[in-house]
Amino acid sequence: MILTVTLNAALDITYRVPHLRAAASHRVTDVSERPGGKGLNVARVLASLGHCAVVTGFVGGRTGEKLRELLAADATVEPPMDPSADSVREASAREAAAFEASTGRALSSVPPQRHPGDATGTVPPGASHPRYGRLIDALTPIEGTTRRTVGVVDAASGDTTQLNEPGPAIGRAEWDTFLHTYTALLGDATAVALCGSLPPGVPVGSYARLVRDAQAAGVPVLLDTSGEPLRRGIAARPDLVKPNTDELAGLTGSTEPIRAALDARRRGARAVVASLGSDGMFAATADGSWQAAPPRRFAGNPTGAGDSAVAGLLSGLVEGLSWPDRLARAVALSAATVRTPVAGEFDPATYEDLLSQVEVLDRSDVPV
């Protein structure tokens, strides 16, 4: 299974309006709610690709209860598409079988978790285990209330205005409970993604610790955060970091993304995949450098596109794909996510159509 960590989860609320105007009243034409936070978005895309995903982090209050209800609903739906390649199907089936065998063991040492509609307790063994392409909730309950993020989509332009609430404060006992959960789940993880911002009360160097814990367990780890947590986390030498151009500039001081990606790798990351927005991605790795771009630009909602790219990179890693194939998948998923109204989803037809059209260029001329 693939483990995703979301320390600052959110309930994502998306409003659609005909035309967004400042200082004006608007009639909302559509409202949607989804479990949010980068790691939860990554997990939902992984499940849609046919992988088994476990989500952990913090959740609390009425907003958290709603998030878990929606996550449970996601976990009961089979993947909306079948992986196109036989090798992907076979890898997913093997992973699912191993997941079935190991989930009970991993969760047996996880502290009690509160699930929607259930009494307090661990996930029961046997038939209730997630199957092929599903999610499992291993979130840590807290006293505080999970934050909300509000996206307002302007239907006329396709642009989205995002409003992000601060997260709840995390107590020391809650942090210790999460660490227990995280360590237990690492034992059966094939890869782990550490995603998003840190809530108040969590030490700024926490991602560095989580990176080291994953490495000690022999689990490849991807870090997707920004600011000081990224600066400290990258020094722990994660297997992969996936910053965007703004995050790279904040880390390195360089506004030239390829130069900044190379600098980020020298700071400790074993590989860096830089998101270049509509221009695709650049990867600097020990095996070489590549740049990938979609065949055309797509209008829509970019929220969650980077999270889908993370899912593409992680799934490619677990399946043993080459770096060019991982990049092609990540770029195709990212573009297909722009075509959907909410984060954590992608348009399957767009993804399948784009996958063979993504151009991946060998940038071996760029020194790594």
Side-chain angles (χ1 to χ4, degrees), residues 109-287:
S109 50
V110 171
Q113 307 291 306
R114 182 166 52 84
H115 296 266
D118 294 339
T120 300
T122 55
V123 176
S128 64
H129 287 175
R131 294 186 292 109
Y132 171 81
R134 298 200 180 184
L135 303 171
I136 188 167
D137 174 349
L139 294 162
T140 296
I142 58 172
E143 291 296 324
T145 299
T146 296
R147 67 190 179 117
R148 297 168 297 178
T149 65
V150 179
V152 183
V153 179
D154 184 329
S157 67
D159 294 333
T160 300
T161 299
Q162 194 75 16
L163 305 174
N164 297 329
E165 294 180 354
I170 305 300
R172 177 58 187 270
E174 293 167 338
W175 173 246
D176 290 342
T177 299
F178 161 77
L179 288 176
H180 189 155
T181 299
Y182 177 71
T183 303
L185 292 171
L186 281 176
D188 292 292
T190 53
V192 59
L194 308 174
C195 302
S197 60
L198 299 177
V202 173
V204 71
S206 294
Y207 277 138
R209 171 175 179 168
L210 300 183
V211 168
R212 290 191 292 268
D213 288 347
Q215 292 171 336
V219 181
V221 56
L222 181 152
L223 178 61
D224 185 14
T225 188
S226 60
E228 190 63 20
L230 173 60
R231 188 181 307 277
R232 298 201 186 190
I234 205 171
R237 297 186 59 78
D239 295 272
L240 176 61
V241 295
K242 195 214 67 63
N244 60 33
T245 53
D246 289 339
E247 290 161 353
L248 276 173
L251 175 68
T252 68
S254 174
T255 57
E256 202 290 306
I258 292 180
R259 178 181 300 174
L262 297 173
D263 187 4
R265 187 166 180 269
R266 286 190 289 268
R267 290 169 184 256
R270 301 176 193 274
V272 177
V273 175
S275 294
L276 309 178
S278 59
D279 293 327
M281 296 181 177
F282 171 78
T285 80
D287 300 320

Side-chain angles (χ1 to χ4, degrees), residues 54-148:
V54 172
V55 296
T56 191
F58 298 108
V59 69
R62 291 186 178 180
T63 308
E65 290 175 2
K66 182 63 176 179
L67 182 153
R68 301 187 94 163
E69 290 171 3
L70 294 170
L71 191 63
D74 285 340
T76 64
V77 179
E78 293 294 338
M81 59 174 290
D82 291 324
S84 57
D86 289 341
S87 61
V88 176
R89 282 195 296 271
E90 291 170 2
S92 297
R94 288 194 301 270
E95 183 185 359
F99 183 58
E100 290 284 354
S102 66
T103 299
R105 182 175 67 253
L107 289 176
S108 66
S109 50
V110 171
Q113 307 291 306
R114 182 166 52 84
H115 296 266
D118 294 339
T120 300
T122 55
V123 176
S128 64
H129 287 175
R131 294 186 292 109
Y132 171 81
R134 298 200 180 184
L135 303 171
I136 188 167
D137 174 349
L139 294 162
T140 296
I142 58 172
E143 291 296 324
T145 299
T146 296
R147 67 190 179 117
R148 297 168 297 178

Side-chain angles (χ1 to χ4, degrees), residues 329-344:
R329 177 181 291 183
V331 168
L333 280 171
S334 182
T337 298
V338 173
R339 299 295 299 272
T340 62
V342 294

